[in-house]
Amino acid sequence: MAAERSTATVPGDQTRIHNIGYRSYDGPRLGRAYARRSLYSQSLRGAYGLGRSAKSKVLPMLLAAVMCLVAGILVAVSVVTKSNDLPLDYTRYAIVLQAVISLYVASQAPQSVSRDLRFHTVPLYFSRPIETSDYVRAKYASLASALFILTALPLLVLYVGALLAKLDFADQTTGFAQGLVSVALLSLLFAGLGLVVASVTPRRGFGIAAVIAVLTITYGAVSTLQAIADVQGSSGAVVWIGLFSPITLIDGVQSAFLGATSAFPGGVGPSTGEGAVYVLVTLGLIAGAYGLLMRRYKKVGL
């Protein structure tokens, strides 16, 4: 009887090598500038929850609504009472609503940088043509822009409402321009401080608490010391104590150079010479925050 032919298959006989057609990319290379703009745009959208979950949109949109709602109420009061001016100056608006602004910075600064640190995605950014300076500039500019939108939008509501109420055009335009300069400086300062503090920890909760502490505790301590100095008749000390809090720095700059009424105890703000010191300290903090971020991310990217 003829022997049966074995039909068993040797596993090695099933091995195949497939040419799946990998090809090198030969399209346009958009370079660092495009990557930097994309990172800026993405971070700015993320600061208001755009492109993220619905839960992420609630807090930033709510805070922006509060900022504009208060401005709308002030305009309504001015119209009803037929006042010749707004109840609150443009330069004073951000000072009065500093708690809302601080809460926004505390919530969005960690969102901007903490997740990249937590999930170790920063080295992935730097594996491409983008460099440390590109990353830092994009993140800094996006948060500063988001803050400027938050603080300038209610000023626009005040300005439009004042013009509709037929208040003096020249006075309102001057006040509006001074307010924009003030909130632009505030946005740069708060964004820098918020990012520096948030970049220290990858934990978003810790970052939020730390930013709140830096922005609010310093203001509370400075305000208390200023009040004590004012009661004791040390008006000169009141001005110099104001150098140790971000919001009082902005108050001092705008009262010295933008014609704003100071919120310091006694209503006495810095003179022009003292205001120059406020400007130097404010610009120094902004530059220092940028430098610290550069050093921080050079280490992270290694």
PDB file of all heavy atoms in Angstrom, residues 75-108:
ATOM      1  N   VAL A  75     -23.191  99.935  33.087  1.00  0.00           N
ATOM      2  CA  VAL A  75     -23.750 100.760  32.012  1.00  0.00           C
ATOM      3  C   VAL A  75     -25.230 101.031  32.265  1.00  0.00           C
ATOM      4  O   VAL A  75     -25.716 102.167  32.091  1.00  0.00           O
ATOM      5  CB  VAL A  75     -23.546 100.071  30.650  1.00  0.00           C
ATOM      6  CG1 VAL A  75     -24.335 100.796  29.561  1.00  0.00           C
ATOM      7  CG2 VAL A  75     -22.077 100.031  30.288  1.00  0.00           C
ATOM      8  N   ALA A  76     -25.962 100.004  32.695  1.00  0.00           N
ATOM      9  CA  ALA A  76     -27.387 100.170  32.965  1.00  0.00           C
ATOM     10  C   ALA A  76     -27.618 101.185  34.088  1.00  0.00           C
ATOM     11  O   ALA A  76     -28.535 102.013  34.013  1.00  0.00           O
ATOM     12  CB  ALA A  76     -28.006  98.823  33.332  1.00  0.00           C
ATOM     13  N   VAL A  77     -26.801 101.116  35.132  1.00  0.00           N
ATOM     14  CA  VAL A  77     -26.917 102.077  36.233  1.00  0.00           C
ATOM     15  C   VAL A  77     -26.674 103.496  35.735  1.00  0.00           C
ATOM     16  O   VAL A  77     -27.385 104.444  36.113  1.00  0.00           O
ATOM     17  CB  VAL A  77     -25.923 101.713  37.358  1.00  0.00           C
ATOM     18  CG1 VAL A  77     -25.829 102.841  38.383  1.00  0.00           C
ATOM     19  CG2 VAL A  77     -26.344 100.418  38.034  1.00  0.00           C
ATOM     20  N   SER A  78     -25.666 103.637  34.884  1.00  0.00           N
ATOM     21  CA  SER A  78     -25.353 104.961  34.348  1.00  0.00           C
ATOM     22  C   SER A  78     -26.505 105.503  33.509  1.00  0.00           C
ATOM     23  O   SER A  78     -26.827 106.707  33.567  1.00  0.00           O
ATOM     24  CB  SER A  78     -24.068 104.890  33.507  1.00  0.00           C
ATOM     25  OG  SER A  78     -23.744 106.154  32.980  1.00  0.00           O
ATOM     26  N   VAL A  79     -27.145 104.632  32.731  1.00  0.00           N
ATOM     27  CA  VAL A  79     -28.270 105.071  31.892  1.00  0.00           C
ATOM     28  C   VAL A  79     -29.478 105.440  32.744  1.00  0.00           C
ATOM     29  O   VAL A  79     -30.127 106.477  32.526  1.00  0.00           O
ATOM     30  CB  VAL A  79     -28.631 103.964  30.883  1.00  0.00           C
ATOM     31  CG1 VAL A  79     -29.916 104.313  30.140  1.00  0.00           C
ATOM     32  CG2 VAL A  79     -27.498 103.753  29.889  1.00  0.00           C
ATOM     33  N   VAL A  80     -29.791 104.600  33.724  1.00  0.00           N
ATOM     34  CA  VAL A  80     -30.967 104.839  34.557  1.00  0.00           C
ATOM     35  C   VAL A  80     -30.824 106.112  35.381  1.00  0.00           C
ATOM     36  O   VAL A  80     -31.762 106.902  35.518  1.00  0.00           O
ATOM     37  CB  VAL A  80     -31.220 103.619  35.477  1.00  0.00           C
ATOM     38  CG1 VAL A  80     -32.293 103.945  36.517  1.00  0.00           C
ATOM     39  CG2 VAL A  80     -31.634 102.411  34.647  1.00  0.00           C
ATOM     40  N   THR A  81     -29.650 106.324  35.929  1.00  0.00           N
ATOM     41  CA  THR A  81     -29.426 107.509  36.766  1.00  0.00           C
ATOM     42  C   THR A  81     -29.107 108.756  35.950  1.00  0.00           C
ATOM     43  O   THR A  81     -28.965 109.838  36.513  1.00  0.00           O
ATOM     44  CB  THR A  81     -28.275 107.246  37.758  1.00  0.00           C
ATOM     45  OG1 THR A  81     -27.074 106.939  37.024  1.00  0.00           O
ATOM     46  CG2 THR A  81     -28.616 106.087  38.676  1.00  0.00           C
ATOM     47  N   LYS A  82     -28.943 108.582  34.618  1.00  0.00           N
ATOM     48  CA  LYS A  82     -28.614 109.696  33.722  1.00  0.00           C
ATOM     49  C   LYS A  82     -27.351 110.432  34.176  1.00  0.00           C
ATOM     50  O   LYS A  82     -27.271 111.655  34.164  1.00  0.00           O
ATOM     51  CB  LYS A  82     -29.787 110.662  33.625  1.00  0.00           C
ATOM     52  CG  LYS A  82     -31.041 110.035  33.023  1.00  0.00           C
ATOM     53  CD  LYS A  82     -32.179 111.029  32.919  1.00  0.00           C
ATOM     54  CE  LYS A  82     -33.410 110.372  32.301  1.00  0.00           C
ATOM     55  NZ  LYS A  82     -34.555 111.327  32.201  1.00  0.00           N
ATOM     56  N   SER A  83     -26.365 109.623  34.553  1.00  0.00           N
ATOM     57  CA  SER A  83     -25.099 110.179  35.014  1.00  0.00           C
ATOM     58  C   SER A  83     -24.279 110.685  33.836  1.00  0.00           C
ATOM     59  O   SER A  83     -24.449 110.238  32.694  1.00  0.00           O
ATOM     60  CB  SER A  83     -24.315 109.113  35.786  1.00  0.00           C
ATOM     61  OG  SER A  83     -23.031 109.569  36.126  1.00  0.00           O
ATOM     62  N   ASN A  84     -23.403 111.606  34.122  1.00  0.00           N
ATOM     63  CA  ASN A  84     -22.515 112.140  33.089  1.00  0.00           C
ATOM     64  C   ASN A  84     -21.245 111.325  32.933  1.00  0.00           C
ATOM     65  O   ASN A  84     -20.405 111.657  32.105  1.00  0.00           O
ATOM     66  CB  ASN A  84     -22.152 113.594  33.406  1.00  0.00           C
ATOM     67  CG  ASN A  84     -23.342 114.523  33.313  1.00  0.00           C
ATOM     68  OD1 ASN A  84     -24.222 114.329  32.478  1.00  0.00           O
ATOM     69  ND2 ASN A  84     -23.385 115.521  34.180  1.00  0.00           N
ATOM     70  N   ASP A  85     -21.096 110.283  33.738  1.00  0.00           N
ATOM     71  CA  ASP A  85     -19.906 109.432  33.663  1.00  0.00           C
ATOM     72  C   ASP A  85     -20.269 108.046  34.148  1.00  0.00           C
ATOM     73  O   ASP A  85     -21.321 107.824  34.778  1.00  0.00           O
ATOM     74  CB  ASP A  85     -18.772 110.015  34.518  1.00  0.00           C
ATOM     75  CG  ASP A  85     -17.401 109.589  34.009  1.00  0.00           C
ATOM     76  OD1 ASP A  85     -17.345 108.706  33.131  1.00  0.00           O
ATOM     77  OD2 ASP A  85     -16.393 110.136  34.494  1.00  0.00           O
ATOM     78  N   LEU A  86     -19.419 107.095  33.876  1.00  0.00           N
ATOM     79  CA  LEU A  86     -19.621 105.725  34.330  1.00  0.00           C
ATOM     80  C   LEU A  86     -19.356 105.612  35.825  1.00  0.00           C
ATOM     81  O   LEU A  86     -18.529 106.355  36.371  1.00  0.00           O
ATOM     82  CB  LEU A  86     -18.697 104.772  33.576  1.00  0.00           C
ATOM     83  CG  LEU A  86     -18.976 104.600  32.077  1.00  0.00           C
ATOM     84  CD1 LEU A  86     -17.847 103.815  31.417  1.00  0.00           C
ATOM     85  CD2 LEU A  86     -20.310 103.889  31.851  1.00  0.00           C
ATOM     86  N   PRO A  87     -20.041 104.689  36.524  1.00  0.00           N
ATOM     87  CA  PRO A  87     -19.810 104.533  37.965  1.00  0.00           C
ATOM     88  C   PRO A  87     -18.390 104.077  38.311  1.00  0.00           C
ATOM     89  O   PRO A  87     -17.932 104.276  39.433  1.00  0.00           O
ATOM     90  CB  PRO A  87     -20.832 103.470  38.380  1.00  0.00           C
ATOM     91  CG  PRO A  87     -21.854 103.460  37.294  1.00  0.00           C
ATOM     92  CD  PRO A  87     -21.122 103.828  36.035  1.00  0.00           C
ATOM     93  N   LEU A  88     -17.705 103.458  37.356  1.00  0.00           N
ATOM     94  CA  LEU A  88     -16.369 102.915  37.601  1.00  0.00           C
ATOM     95  C   LEU A  88     -15.467 103.255  36.420  1.00  0.00           C
ATOM     96  O   LEU A  88     -15.838 103.044  35.265  1.00  0.00           O
ATOM     97  CB  LEU A  88     -16.435 101.401  37.789  1.00  0.00           C
ATOM     98  CG  LEU A  88     -15.192 100.679  38.284  1.00  0.00           C
ATOM     99  CD1 LEU A  88     -14.818 101.143  39.682  1.00  0.00           C
ATOM    100  CD2 LEU A  88     -15.411  99.166  38.279  1.00  0.00           C
ATOM    101  N   ASP A  89     -14.289 103.793  36.713  1.00  0.00           N
ATOM    102  CA  ASP A  89     -13.350 104.139  35.652  1.00  0.00           C
ATOM    103  C   ASP A  89     -12.847 102.884  34.944  1.00  0.00           C
ATOM    104  O   ASP A  89     -12.779 101.796  35.523  1.00  0.00           O
ATOM    105  CB  ASP A  89     -12.155 104.910  36.222  1.00  0.00           C
ATOM    106  CG  ASP A  89     -12.547 106.277  36.747  1.00  0.00           C
ATOM    107  OD1 ASP A  89     -13.594 106.794  36.310  1.00  0.00           O
ATOM    108  OD2 ASP A  89     -11.799 106.814  37.593  1.00  0.00           O
ATOM    109  N   TYR A  90     -12.451 103.049  33.694  1.00  0.00           N
ATOM    110  CA  TYR A  90     -11.916 101.925  32.913  1.00  0.00           C
ATOM    111  C   TYR A  90     -10.673 101.333  33.578  1.00  0.00           C
ATOM    112  O   TYR A  90     -10.482 100.115  33.590  1.00  0.00           O
ATOM    113  CB  TYR A  90     -11.558 102.397  31.504  1.00  0.00           C
ATOM    114  CG  TYR A  90     -12.749 102.815  30.676  1.00  0.00           C
ATOM    115  CD1 TYR A  90     -13.120 104.152  30.589  1.00  0.00           C
ATOM    116  CD2 TYR A  90     -13.484 101.875  29.973  1.00  0.00           C
ATOM    117  CE1 TYR A  90     -14.201 104.544  29.815  1.00  0.00           C
ATOM    118  CE2 TYR A  90     -14.576 102.258  29.192  1.00  0.00           C
ATOM    119  CZ  TYR A  90     -14.929 103.591  29.123  1.00  0.00           C
ATOM    120  OH  TYR A  90     -16.015 103.968  28.352  1.00  0.00           O
ATOM    121  N   THR A  91      -9.816 102.181  34.113  1.00  0.00           N
ATOM    122  CA  THR A  91      -8.582 101.701  34.723  1.00  0.00           C
ATOM    123  C   THR A  91      -8.826 101.016  36.065  1.00  0.00           C
ATOM    124  O   THR A  91      -7.958 100.282  36.546  1.00  0.00           O
ATOM    125  CB  THR A  91      -7.607 102.877  34.924  1.00  0.00           C
ATOM    126  OG1 THR A  91      -8.289 103.950  35.573  1.00  0.00           O
ATOM    127  CG2 THR A  91      -7.060 103.358  33.592  1.00  0.00           C
ATOM    128  N   ARG A  92      -9.979 101.261  36.667  1.00  0.00           N
ATOM    129  CA  ARG A  92     -10.277 100.658  37.967  1.00  0.00           C
ATOM    130  C   ARG A  92     -10.973  99.315  37.840  1.00  0.00           C
ATOM    131  O   ARG A  92     -11.045  98.554  38.804  1.00  0.00           O
ATOM    132  CB  ARG A  92     -11.164 101.600  38.779  1.00  0.00           C
ATOM    133  CG  ARG A  92     -10.478 102.836  39.278  1.00  0.00           C
ATOM    134  CD  ARG A  92      -9.766 102.595  40.595  1.00  0.00           C
ATOM    135  NE  ARG A  92     -10.723 102.302  41.645  1.00  0.00           N
ATOM    136  CZ  ARG A  92     -10.476 101.508  42.686  1.00  0.00           C
ATOM    137  NH1 ARG A  92      -9.313 100.901  42.777  1.00  0.00           N
ATOM    138  NH2 ARG A  92     -11.388 101.292  43.617  1.00  0.00           N
ATOM    139  N   TYR A  93     -11.469  99.009  36.651  1.00  0.00           N
ATOM    140  CA  TYR A  93     -12.318  97.830  36.492  1.00  0.00           C
ATOM    141  C   TYR A  93     -11.579  96.541  36.850  1.00  0.00           C
ATOM    142  O   TYR A  93     -12.077  95.706  37.606  1.00  0.00           O
ATOM    143  CB  TYR A  93     -12.849  97.756  35.057  1.00  0.00           C
ATOM    144  CG  TYR A  93     -13.971  96.768  34.894  1.00  0.00           C
ATOM    145  CD1 TYR A  93     -15.284  97.129  35.167  1.00  0.00           C
ATOM    146  CD2 TYR A  93     -13.719  95.464  34.467  1.00  0.00           C
ATOM    147  CE1 TYR A  93     -16.313  96.222  35.026  1.00  0.00           C
ATOM    148  CE2 TYR A  93     -14.744  94.553  34.326  1.00  0.00           C
ATOM    149  CZ  TYR A  93     -16.044  94.939  34.605  1.00  0.00           C
ATOM    150  OH  TYR A  93     -17.070  94.021  34.475  1.00  0.00           O
ATOM    151  N   ALA A  94     -10.396  96.356  36.289  1.00  0.00           N
ATOM    152  CA  ALA A  94      -9.637  95.131  36.558  1.00  0.00           C
ATOM    153  C   ALA A  94      -9.200  95.052  38.020  1.00  0.00           C
ATOM    154  O   ALA A  94      -9.099  93.949  38.579  1.00  0.00           O
ATOM    155  CB  ALA A  94      -8.424  95.057  35.633  1.00  0.00           C
ATOM    156  N   ILE A  95      -8.927  96.193  38.638  1.00  0.00           N
ATOM    157  CA  ILE A  95      -8.520  96.192  40.046  1.00  0.00           C
ATOM    158  C   ILE A  95      -9.661  95.705  40.923  1.00  0.00           C
ATOM    159  O   ILE A  95      -9.471  94.886  41.827  1.00  0.00           O
ATOM    160  CB  ILE A  95      -8.081  97.606  40.478  1.00  0.00           C
ATOM    161  CG1 ILE A  95      -6.965  98.136  39.578  1.00  0.00           C
ATOM    162  CG2 ILE A  95      -7.639  97.597  41.943  1.00  0.00           C
ATOM    163  CD1 ILE A  95      -5.702  97.351  39.607  1.00  0.00           C
ATOM    164  N   VAL A  96     -10.879  96.179  40.634  1.00  0.00           N
ATOM    165  CA  VAL A  96     -12.039  95.783  41.429  1.00  0.00           C
ATOM    166  C   VAL A  96     -12.370  94.307  41.232  1.00  0.00           C
ATOM    167  O   VAL A  96     -12.741  93.603  42.180  1.00  0.00           O
ATOM    168  CB  VAL A  96     -13.255  96.666  41.071  1.00  0.00           C
ATOM    169  CG1 VAL A  96     -14.522  96.163  41.749  1.00  0.00           C
ATOM    170  CG2 VAL A  96     -12.995  98.117  41.463  1.00  0.00           C
ATOM    171  N   LEU A  97     -12.211  93.812  40.001  1.00  0.00           N
ATOM    172  CA  LEU A  97     -12.558  92.420  39.696  1.00  0.00           C
ATOM    173  C   LEU A  97     -11.324  91.521  39.656  1.00  0.00           C
ATOM    174  O   LEU A  97     -11.299  90.519  38.953  1.00  0.00           O
ATOM    175  CB  LEU A  97     -13.291  92.351  38.362  1.00  0.00           C
ATOM    176  CG  LEU A  97     -14.693  92.975  38.367  1.00  0.00           C
ATOM    177  CD1 LEU A  97     -15.300  92.962  36.986  1.00  0.00           C
ATOM    178  CD2 LEU A  97     -15.609  92.245  39.333  1.00  0.00           C
ATOM    179  N   GLN A  98     -10.334  91.860  40.440  1.00  0.00           N
ATOM    180  CA  GLN A  98      -9.103  91.081  40.452  1.00  0.00           C
ATOM    181  C   GLN A  98      -9.319  89.647  40.911  1.00  0.00           C
ATOM    182  O   GLN A  98      -8.593  88.733  40.472  1.00  0.00           O
ATOM    183  CB  GLN A  98      -8.085  91.760  41.362  1.00  0.00           C
ATOM    184  CG  GLN A  98      -8.569  91.885  42.805  1.00  0.00           C
ATOM    185  CD  GLN A  98      -7.520  92.461  43.716  1.00  0.00           C
ATOM    186  OE1 GLN A  98      -6.493  91.838  43.915  1.00  0.00           O
ATOM    187  NE2 GLN A  98      -7.782  93.637  44.238  1.00  0.00           N
ATOM    188  N   ALA A  99     -10.300  89.396  41.765  1.00  0.00           N
ATOM    189  CA  ALA A  99     -10.551  88.033  42.243  1.00  0.00           C
ATOM    190  C   ALA A  99     -10.955  87.124  41.090  1.00  0.00           C
ATOM    191  O   ALA A  99     -10.515  85.963  41.008  1.00  0.00           O
ATOM    192  CB  ALA A  99     -11.627  88.048  43.315  1.00  0.00           C
ATOM    193  N   VAL A 100     -11.796  87.637  40.195  1.00  0.00           N
ATOM    194  CA  VAL A 100     -12.220  86.856  39.035  1.00  0.00           C
ATOM    195  C   VAL A 100     -11.028  86.585  38.118  1.00  0.00           C
ATOM    196  O   VAL A 100     -10.848  85.470  37.616  1.00  0.00           O
ATOM    197  CB  VAL A 100     -13.337  87.599  38.271  1.00  0.00           C
ATOM    198  CG1 VAL A 100     -13.775  86.798  37.047  1.00  0.00           C
ATOM    199  CG2 VAL A 100     -14.525  87.853  39.182  1.00  0.00           C
ATOM    200  N   ILE A 101     -10.204  87.603  37.910  1.00  0.00           N
ATOM    201  CA  ILE A 101      -9.029  87.453  37.040  1.00  0.00           C
ATOM    202  C   ILE A 101      -8.050  86.444  37.634  1.00  0.00           C
ATOM    203  O   ILE A 101      -7.506  85.583  36.930  1.00  0.00           O
ATOM    204  CB  ILE A 101      -8.349  88.816  36.830  1.00  0.00           C
ATOM    205  CG1 ILE A 101      -9.313  89.790  36.156  1.00  0.00           C
ATOM    206  CG2 ILE A 101      -7.079  88.664  35.995  1.00  0.00           C
ATOM    207  CD1 ILE A 101      -8.814  91.221  36.104  1.00  0.00           C
ATOM    208  N   SER A 102      -7.814  86.532  38.938  1.00  0.00           N
ATOM    209  CA  SER A 102      -6.899  85.590  39.600  1.00  0.00           C
ATOM    210  C   SER A 102      -7.406  84.161  39.500  1.00  0.00           C
ATOM    211  O   SER A 102      -6.626  83.227  39.286  1.00  0.00           O
ATOM    212  CB  SER A 102      -6.720  85.990  41.067  1.00  0.00           C
ATOM    213  OG  SER A 102      -6.147  87.270  41.179  1.00  0.00           O
ATOM    214  N   LEU A 103      -8.723  83.977  39.648  1.00  0.00           N
ATOM    215  CA  LEU A 103      -9.293  82.639  39.530  1.00  0.00           C
ATOM    216  C   LEU A 103      -9.125  82.093  38.120  1.00  0.00           C
ATOM    217  O   LEU A 103      -8.837  80.907  37.926  1.00  0.00           O
ATOM    218  CB  LEU A 103     -10.778  82.678  39.910  1.00  0.00           C
ATOM    219  CG  LEU A 103     -11.522  81.337  39.923  1.00  0.00           C
ATOM    220  CD1 LEU A 103     -10.849  80.353  40.866  1.00  0.00           C
ATOM    221  CD2 LEU A 103     -12.982  81.537  40.305  1.00  0.00           C
ATOM    222  N   TYR A 104      -9.250  82.962  37.125  1.00  0.00           N
ATOM    223  CA  TYR A 104      -9.053  82.525  35.742  1.00  0.00           C
ATOM    224  C   TYR A 104      -7.606  82.089  35.517  1.00  0.00           C
ATOM    225  O   TYR A 104      -7.349  81.031  34.924  1.00  0.00           O
ATOM    226  CB  TYR A 104      -9.424  83.652  34.778  1.00  0.00           C
ATOM    227  CG  TYR A 104      -9.258  83.268  33.333  1.00  0.00           C
ATOM    228  CD1 TYR A 104     -10.286  82.625  32.654  1.00  0.00           C
ATOM    229  CD2 TYR A 104      -8.067  83.522  32.659  1.00  0.00           C
ATOM    230  CE1 TYR A 104     -10.123  82.243  31.316  1.00  0.00           C
ATOM    231  CE2 TYR A 104      -7.904  83.139  31.325  1.00  0.00           C
ATOM    232  CZ  TYR A 104      -8.942  82.505  30.677  1.00  0.00           C
ATOM    233  OH  TYR A 104      -8.764  82.117  29.366  1.00  0.00           O
ATOM    234  N   VAL A 105      -6.661  82.893  35.986  1.00  0.00           N
ATOM    235  CA  VAL A 105      -5.242  82.536  35.832  1.00  0.00           C
ATOM    236  C   VAL A 105      -4.949  81.218  36.540  1.00  0.00           C
ATOM    237  O   VAL A 105      -4.249  80.342  36.006  1.00  0.00           O
ATOM    238  CB  VAL A 105      -4.335  83.652  36.374  1.00  0.00           C
ATOM    239  CG1 VAL A 105      -2.868  83.258  36.270  1.00  0.00           C
ATOM    240  CG2 VAL A 105      -4.563  84.947  35.613  1.00  0.00           C
ATOM    241  N   ALA A 106      -5.491  81.072  37.754  1.00  0.00           N
ATOM    242  CA  ALA A 106      -5.230  79.864  38.531  1.00  0.00           C
ATOM    243  C   ALA A 106      -5.787  78.614  37.852  1.00  0.00           C
ATOM    244  O   ALA A 106      -5.218  77.523  37.980  1.00  0.00           O
ATOM    245  CB  ALA A 106      -5.831  80.013  39.927  1.00  0.00           C
ATOM    246  N   SER A 107      -6.876  78.761  37.128  1.00  0.00           N
ATOM    247  CA  SER A 107      -7.481  77.591  36.481  1.00  0.00           C
ATOM    248  C   SER A 107      -6.849  77.276  35.138  1.00  0.00           C
ATOM    249  O   SER A 107      -6.759  76.106  34.738  1.00  0.00           O
ATOM    250  CB  SER A 107      -8.987  77.819  36.293  1.00  0.00           C
ATOM    251  OG  SER A 107      -9.233  78.919  35.432  1.00  0.00           O
ATOM    252  N   GLN A 108      -6.381  78.294  34.416  1.00  0.00           N
ATOM    253  CA  GLN A 108      -5.919  78.068  33.052  1.00  0.00           C
ATOM    254  C   GLN A 108      -4.399  77.953  32.907  1.00  0.00           C
ATOM    255  O   GLN A 108      -3.933  77.341  31.964  1.00  0.00           O
ATOM    256  CB  GLN A 108      -6.433  79.182  32.140  1.00  0.00           C
ATOM    257  CG  GLN A 108      -7.945  79.237  32.062  1.00  0.00           C
ATOM    258  CD  GLN A 108      -8.568  77.890  31.734  1.00  0.00           C
ATOM    259  OE1 GLN A 108      -8.141  77.203  30.806  1.00  0.00           O
ATOM    260  NE2 GLN A 108      -9.570  77.493  32.503  1.00  0.00           N
TER     261      GLN A 108
END
